[in-house]
Amino acid sequence: MHFKSLKSEKLSEKVIKEFEEMIEKGALKPGDKLPSERDLSQQMGISRGILREALRTLESKGYINRKPGGGTYIRELTYSQNTGQKLINALKHATYLDLLEIREILEQKIVELAVERATDEDILEMEKILEHCQNANEYDPKMDHAFHLSIASATKNALMANFMAANLELIKDITTRTHNNPNRLKEMINEHKKIMDAIKARNAEKAQKALLEHLHNVRKAIEKSFEETEEKEDAKN
Amino acid sequence: MHFKSLKSEKLSEKVIKEFEEMIEKGALKPGDKLPSERDLSQQMGISRGILREALRTLESKGYINRKPGGGTYIRELTYSQNTGQKLINALKHATYLDLLEIREILEQKIVELAVERATDEDILEMEKILEHCQNANEYDPKMDHAFHLSIASATKNALMANFMAANLELIKDITTRTHNNPNRLKEMINEHKKIMDAIKARNAEKAQKALLEHLHNVRKAIEKSFEETEEKEDAKN
DNA sequence: AATAAAAAATGGTTAAACCATTTAACAATA
DNA sequence: TATTGTTAAATGGTTTAACCATTTTTTATT
């Protein structure tokens, strides 16, 4: 059973969304001046305090500019402010295959860099995590991610690790589904071990090969999962 | 002449930062209950309205939970909520070389995918942008980015294009500096043209080679820029 | 000990006032 | 006429006090 939340949205949250929508839709364009808080609150039928809560949030998000005595203006979003938001948005709406494609590209290089740059401590950390994985008797995405991230961290490129983390997080639900059987779980652990061994042996070529095999299986599982979903969709119609 | 802004930070903005810092530092941990708004505002020496403006923003950012009659609690950040923030943060604080490293990895593959997947319209678009670049007589990062992004878009992987955009945006200031001379500008245009021609000829290998040459020069310029900066720093001491 | 009722506390909201800064209008001056 | 100085109005920033609805705690009742 699943009941939808009955919690009423706070007034100021509604106001925030209202403004954000208007900005997204272009009803409010950069440079536009908003009515004064006193006018606006009356027009919207809310108190000035509530309106100000919303405006504060919008300001904090970078949507508006306010100047005492001056007024409130829709902000000219600079290119850079935009890209961060756009990236987050793109991440949210990326398809599994887009995510996987980038992961394949990056992680292939990541293992190569890891072989080069990993310290003995890094290797030890990886092994510790791998051991945890091997002792688990059901798939835990955190464990899976931890392993891949320990490799990414060994590249000493913090951005790389963080991007991998975001990427993994976004395919978590599907990998959790596809690994929800003992066979695939065991396979995964073996694949991890192969990667680990190759990195430990400082054999980049072997590590890449092991990783590609692993990612190939992940991709197969995802694509298979898609087909099954489609079949279900078809069955509905 | 350049004067620094004298605008005083708004009170609620200060409060927001204060809470964010405390959460980052761990002084406020998930699950912690905050004092009531009435108490807290008195403790902090601010009005309840100001405190509420800050709390509304923090709630909107996902830091806290509030329940009428219940109280205000530091929110248990889910993994996924966190990764988005962490990624943005990592992007902001990434070094030029980290950014460039990832760009080199991705873009190398991007040109390969572009050769595969670019439609005739994509190619046309690239050429149009390249032409604009060639007519420019001073470096315009927007033009530069537009060219690289048109290639990234041809991969039909939206996330790829957006990540590249974020990446480029973050090295914009340094590339703008390093291209601030006619020779390098001309070189850049030539390098772009080589990449363009190879993609148009559907020659992945050639395209990659041209791109690598381009990125090699970008890297050289960045590293040189660093050395100069260091020299300046040394001169100061 | 369990239940029910009442009281207190809490976040949500409104209203009215005052401050500091900015803007606009207008007068004064050269 | 054009510039400067003054004044008044408007605006965002802030504070205070009050009331509501819900939740929590306390108290009373059985």
Side-chain angles (χ1 to χ4, degrees), chain A residues 52 56-57 59-60 66, chain B residues 9-19 46 49-55 57-58:
Chain A
R52 281 187 57 81
R56 164 73 55 237
T57 302
E59 185 176 31
S60 167
R66 302 199 281 178
Chain B
E9 195 173 33
K10 318 298 189 324
L11 206 39
S12 49
E13 293 286 354
K14 278 192 210 166
V15 178
I16 294 170
K17 280 191 183 171
E18 172 74 10
F19 277 108
I46 57 177
I50 295 297
L51 176 61
R52 281 186 57 80
E53 283 186 18
L55 292 179
T57 301
L58 290 169

Side-chain angles (χ1 to χ4, degrees), chain A residues 109, chain B residues 100-101 103-109 111 148 191 195 204-220:
Chain A
K109 193 75 184 184
Chain B
L100 192 58
E101 181 167 85
R103 179 183 168 187
E104 285 168 348
I105 296 168
L106 280 183
E107 203 165 11
Q108 200 176 341
K109 193 76 184 181
V111 293
H148 288 278
E191 290 161 14
I195 299 171
E205 201 180 332
K206 211 169 177 179
Q208 282 186 325
K209 205 180 147 200
L211 175 79
L212 280 180
E213 189 192 333
H214 177 51
L215 291 183
H216 177 71
N217 289 333
V218 172
R219 177 179 280 270
K220 259 202 321 195

Side-chain angles (χ1 to χ4, degrees), chain A residues 12 56 79 101 117 169, chain B residues 12 56 79 101 117 169:
Chain A
S12 49
R56 164 73 55 237
Y79 201 66
E101 181 166 84
R117 302 177 187 171
E169 182 63 28
Chain B
S12 49
R56 164 74 55 236
Y79 201 65
E101 181 167 85
R117 301 178 187 170
E169 182 61 29

Side-chain angles (χ1 to χ4, degrees), chain A residues 78-137:
Chain A
T78 72
Y79 201 66
S80 56
Q81 284 168 326
N82 241 341
T83 42
Q85 272 309 114
K86 276 191 185 168
L87 178 58
I88 293 281
N89 221 47
L91 273 164
K92 278 186 189 163
H93 296 95
T95 69
Y96 291 117
L97 293 179
D98 280 355
L99 284 162
L100 192 57
E101 181 166 84
I102 293 186
R103 178 181 169 189
E104 285 168 347
I105 297 168
L106 280 184
E107 204 165 11
Q108 199 176 341
K109 193 75 184 184
I110 283 175
V111 294
E112 186 184 322
L113 292 176
V115 165
E116 271 179 43
R117 302 177 187 171
T119 66
D120 294 344
E121 287 77 31
D122 291 333
I123 304 269
L124 231 61
E125 176 70 15
M126 292 181 212
E127 283 185 308
K128 218 174 73 184
I129 293 170
L130 181 64
E131 208 172 314
H132 268 268
C133 285
Q134 288 170 325
N135 293 334
N137 40 20

